[in-house]
Each structure stands twice: as C-alpha cells, then as structure tokens.
C-alpha cells in the first residue's frame, strides 16, 4: 500500500505525458499535469486536428486572420503561421484589423497588431468605422450612451471584417472565437429565443453560401489554455478590456459559464455539443437570406441591420433599429411613426444617409 502511494506521488512530480520533465501547468480542459513542451505540442496538435478533420482550408487559399491585438487573435495568427509552415497547408495569410475609433483602447491595440505584422511576417490591412460608416464608436457612444453601444459595434464590426476580407480578395476569414465564446453564444441565443442564430452559432464554419466563409479553428480550445500559451510563449498581445463593454449582456453569460467551469471543466464542451445537436422543427419559419437594397450586404430584410442603425445615426434617431421605432416598410429607413412630445411633432434634423460600406464585394 505504501509502495503504491509512493509511486503515485513520484508520478505526480512529472509530466503526465512525457513522464520526464516537471509539470508547469494543469490543463483546464483535462486537468492533466503537463510540462511546457508537451503543452505546446498538444495545444498545437489539437488545433491542427480540428483544421484537418473539418476541412477548414484548401491549398492556395488566401486567408484573412481577424486580428484585434488581443490574446486570442494573436495566438491564432502565431499558431496558424506555425502550422501552415510545419504541415504545408499552402495558405496565403493576411492580418485584418478593424479600427472602431475607441480612444485609449483600439488605437493602442492596433499598435500591437502592427508589431505582430513584423514579428510574423504577415501583411496587415486596417479598415475603420470612420471610412466605412462616417462614424467612430466614440462619436456613437456620445449620442447613444453606454446601454446599447455594443449592438452598434457588433453589427458594424461584423460587416467591416467582411468588407476588409473582400478588399483583400480573401477566400476565407478566420477569427479567434474560442470554446468559451461559442458556449456563451449558445447560451445567449437560448436566453433570447433566437432560433435562427441558435441553429448555426455552434458551426465551425459559417457563411459558406455567402461571399466569404468564416471559420473558427479555436472552436474547442479553452480561453484559459490560449492565455497560458500566450504567456509561456511570451507573445506580444494587448490585454486591456474595451472601455465600453463592462455592461454588455454577454458579460453575464460569461460569468455564468466560468462558474460552471469551476464545478465541471467539461461544461464548456457540453454546451457546445448541445448547440451542435439542436434540431429546428421543419415547421419553424426561418428568415430568408437576401441582399440589402442599399449596400448589397447579406440581409434577411430590405435593409441590413448596419444600414438601419446608420440611418438612425444620420437622421438624429440613434435608437432606430434597436427600439420600437422601426424602419418604414417602403425601405427608406424612415420610422413608421415620428416621435412626439406632448402631442406635438418633434423636429429632428434630416441628414443625408450614406450606404453602410464603401468597400465593394
């Protein structure tokens, strides 16, 4: 009995994979005690296996890597560069960043991306909200406040990435969304009752029927492991949180997921698998994908969400598209009912509306 206990103690002093080196961390996903070298190997190999198993790339493709300067996108750019070289994927990689116009946050993080451009030898393209929409997030927050600003940023950012990828003539756009992010999204769509998004939010690749498919190589990679990898590899990344995001609805889902992970580390993967296994009834009416009449972006309505939000900003009705004030049925973007105060019409400045993007597909 004593010999068995002693052998277990001795085994605990060494990496559970190579049994030769001292462990440097306990993997959040499996709770294995492993050394740095084995951690690097299994981390990279798991991502490689996900790429191969899901046929994410084809040789010769141009791949735009969404780069924010944060740890997820920085590790994604580094690992993709390494795997592309090591396994001969034959990919042409580019960094693609979005400048939302957030002083003290995005301007600093973009400096990190510019250093990554040199460090990894990957060309960088930056697209900005100002160039695409005529507004910065700082300006939007001034008129909309802190309550709904993430709605604007999320809609505009998604389209900005697609337009930037189109400018680069990319075949695919890859993002650093990790397992935690996807689990949060599954949970949020359940809470919102958003059947359309719930049916596809756990896909590793989306938009295959659109101009530029998006894929998520980190779909099964835990955020904590990405953080450990970036730390041990001493990668250059920006770690400050967006100054406008602390009150975001997603933050509450994130805290809930973290609480579940403390109790059961596999909870994150369980939620993702639940999202993968959801089946929508054939009688459920799903929105039909079309094209925005104004800017040509994919949309299930006459005007895409970005055009509706931009219309509201330009017309002095910033809550257009996020409140009960909705766009007119004629596709003009005018509200069905102008707001009134004490029975009188409120005069609002009419500003010329611009298309929500200037980069063509």
């Amino acid at each position: 009995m004593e010999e068995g206990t002693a052998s277990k103690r001795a085994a605990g002093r060494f990496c559970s994979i190579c049994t030769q080196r001292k462990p440097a961390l306990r993997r959040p996903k499996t709770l294995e005690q492993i050394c740095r070298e084995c951690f690097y190997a299994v981390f990279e190999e798991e991502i490689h296996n996900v790429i191969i198993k899901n046929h994410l790339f084809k040789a010769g493709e141009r791949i735009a890597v969404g780069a924010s300067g944060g740890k997820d996108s920085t590790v994604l750019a580094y690992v993709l560069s390494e795997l592309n070289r090591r396994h001969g994927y034959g990919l042409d990689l580019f960094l693609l960043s979005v400048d939302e116009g957030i002083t003290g946050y995005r301007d600093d993080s973009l400096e990190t991306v510019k250093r990554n451009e040199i460090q990894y030898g990957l060309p960088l393209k930056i697209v900005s909200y100002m160039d695409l929409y005529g507004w910065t997030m700082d300006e939007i927050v001034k008129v909309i406040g802190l309550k709904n600003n993430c709605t604007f940023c999320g809609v505009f950012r998604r389209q900005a990435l697609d337009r930037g990828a189109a400018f680069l003539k990319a075949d695919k756009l890859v993002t650093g969304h990790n397992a935690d992010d996807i689990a949060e999204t599954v949970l949020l769509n359940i809470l919102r009752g958003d059947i359309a998004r719930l049916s596809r939010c756990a896909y590793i690749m989306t938009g295959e029927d659109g101009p530029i498919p998006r894929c998520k190589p980190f779909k099964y990679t835990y955020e904590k492991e990405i953080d450990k990898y970036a730390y041990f590899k001493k990668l250059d990344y920006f770690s400050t949180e967006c100054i406008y995001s602390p009150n975001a609805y997603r933050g509450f889902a994130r805290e809930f997921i973290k609480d579940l992970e403390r109790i059961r580390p596999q909870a994150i993967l369980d939620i993702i698998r639940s999202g993968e296994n959801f089946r929508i009834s054939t009688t459920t009416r799903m929105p039909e994908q079309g094209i925005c009449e104004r800017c040509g972006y994919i949309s299930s309505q006459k005007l895409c969400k970005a055009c509706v939000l931009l219309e509201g900003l330009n017309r002095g009705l910033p809550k257009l598209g996020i409140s009960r004030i909705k766009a007119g049925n004629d596709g003009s973007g005018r509200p069905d009912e102008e707001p009134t105060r004490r029975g009188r019409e409120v005069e609002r400045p009419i500003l010329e509306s611009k298309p929500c993007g200037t980069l063509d597909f």
Side-chain angles (χ1 to χ4, degrees):
M1 186 71 176
E2 291 181 358
E3 291 181 3
T5 304
S7 62
K8 287 182 180 179
R9 288 177 180 172
R13 299 193 194 108
F14 295 97
C15 170
S16 62
I17 295 178
C18 69
T19 68
Q20 295 178 355
R21 292 179 288 265
K22 290 184 178 181
L25 75 154
R26 185 173 70 167
R27 289 195 70 188
K29 184 188 293 185
T30 63
L31 302 183
E32 293 176 293
Q33 298 279 356
I34 60 176
C35 64
R36 289 191 187 188
E37 290 76 7
C38 288
F39 173 60
Y40 298 152
V42 297
F43 182 89
E44 294 166 3
E45 188 64 17
E46 285 180 3
I47 295 168
H48 170 64
N49 289 337
V50 167
I51 290 172
I52 298 303
K53 181 179 178 181
N54 293 278
H55 309 286
L56 296 188
F57 308 122
K58 296 178 182 177
E61 286 187 325
R62 293 170 62 88
I63 306 298
V65 182
S68 65
K71 65 178 181 303
D72 295 329
S73 63
T74 300
V75 172
L76 177 64
Y78 176 83
V79 171
L80 272 186
S81 297
E82 288 295 304
L83 296 179
N84 188 40
R85 175 186 55 80
R86 185 184 307 163
H87 296 286
Y89 292 163
L91 304 177
D92 199 2
L93 300 173
F94 299 83
L95 296 178
L96 173 61
S97 293
V98 177
D99 182 2
E100 299 96 338
I102 304 176
T103 305
Y105 170 68
R106 184 55 71 209
D107 46 358
D108 291 339
S109 68
L110 285 176
E111 292 303 315
T112 303
V113 179
K114 291 174 183 176
R115 293 195 297 271
N116 293 158
E117 175 188 16
I118 298 171
Q119 293 160 353
Y120 307 149
L122 302 178
L124 168 64
K125 173 63 181 176
I126 300 175
V127 294
S128 72
Y129 282 10
M130 177 56 74
D131 290 340
L132 289 172
Y133 313 118
W135 291 77
T136 65
M137 274 308 299
D138 286 340
E139 294 170 340
I140 292 172
V141 169
K142 285 182 180 178
V143 298
I144 194 65
L146 291 172
K147 185 176 181 181
N148 295 300
N149 63 87
C150 287
T151 298
F152 283 83
C153 197
V155 172
F156 287 168
R157 180 177 175 79
R158 179 176 182 81
Q159 189 177 116
L161 281 170
D162 281 344
R163 293 191 179 278
F167 180 86
L168 291 170
K169 294 180 172 57
D171 296 296
K172 289 188 179 79
L173 171 65
V174 297
T175 61
H177 290 97
N178 56 53
D180 301 58
D181 296 327
I182 296 171
E184 291 162 13
T185 303
V186 171
L187 181 61
L188 283 172
N189 286 329
I190 292 173
L191 295 175
R192 291 169 175 159
D194 194 333
I195 300 300
R197 287 189 175 89
L198 182 59
S199 65
R200 63 177 183 272
C201 67
Y203 292 171
I204 196 168
M205 187 179 296
T206 57
E208 293 174 273
D209 53 348
I212 302 175
R214 289 183 174 220
C215 53
K216 300 179 278 285
F218 285 173
K219 177 182 175 180
Y220 302 107
T221 307
Y222 279 30
E223 182 180 24
K224 288 180 180 177
E225 297 202 351
I226 294 172
D227 188 50
K228 291 287 187 183
Y229 187 90
Y231 174 75
F232 286 140
K233 284 283 188 177
K234 294 182 171 57
L235 300 184
D236 186 3
Y237 66 92
F238 186 76
S239 57
T240 302
E241 185 182 11
C242 175
I243 59 177
Y244 297 139
S245 69
N247 296 321
Y249 184 42
R250 177 176 285 269
F252 297 101
R254 182 174 298 120
E255 289 303 315
F256 178 65
I257 296 292
K258 287 180 179 178
D259 289 340
L260 289 177
E261 184 188 10
R262 293 187 190 101
I263 301 170
R264 175 181 163 80
Q266 287 292 312
I268 292 175
L269 294 179
D270 291 341
I271 294 173
I272 293 175
R273 292 191 186 99
S274 296
E276 291 173 338
N277 292 326
F278 273 119
R279 294 294 179 267
I280 309 302
S281 171
T282 55
T283 60
T284 301
R285 185 177 179 182
M286 301 291 283
E288 296 181 5
Q289 182 174 294
I291 299 295
C292 174
E293 293 180 352
R294 181 170 296 169
C295 73
Y297 190 67
I298 54 175
S299 174
S300 59
Q301 305 294 329
K302 288 185 177 182
L303 297 182
C304 69
K305 189 71 171 178
C307 277
V308 173
L309 293 175
L310 185 60
E311 175 78 9
L313 290 171
N314 289 335
R315 288 176 54 82
L317 295 166
K319 292 188 177 181
L320 184 69
I322 59 174
S323 67
R324 292 184 179 180
I325 302 175
K326 298 186 182 295
N329 294 326
D330 60 355
S332 65
R334 291 188 295 272
D336 292 328
E337 295 181 3
E338 290 290 343
T340 59
R341 185 182 295 125
R342 294 182 182 177
R344 294 177 299 171
E345 287 192 358
V346 178
E347 292 185 4
R348 294 187 183 274
I350 305 300
L351 303 178
E352 182 181 356
S353 179
K354 296 184 293 185
C356 61
T358 56
L359 295 176
D360 294 332
F361 283 105

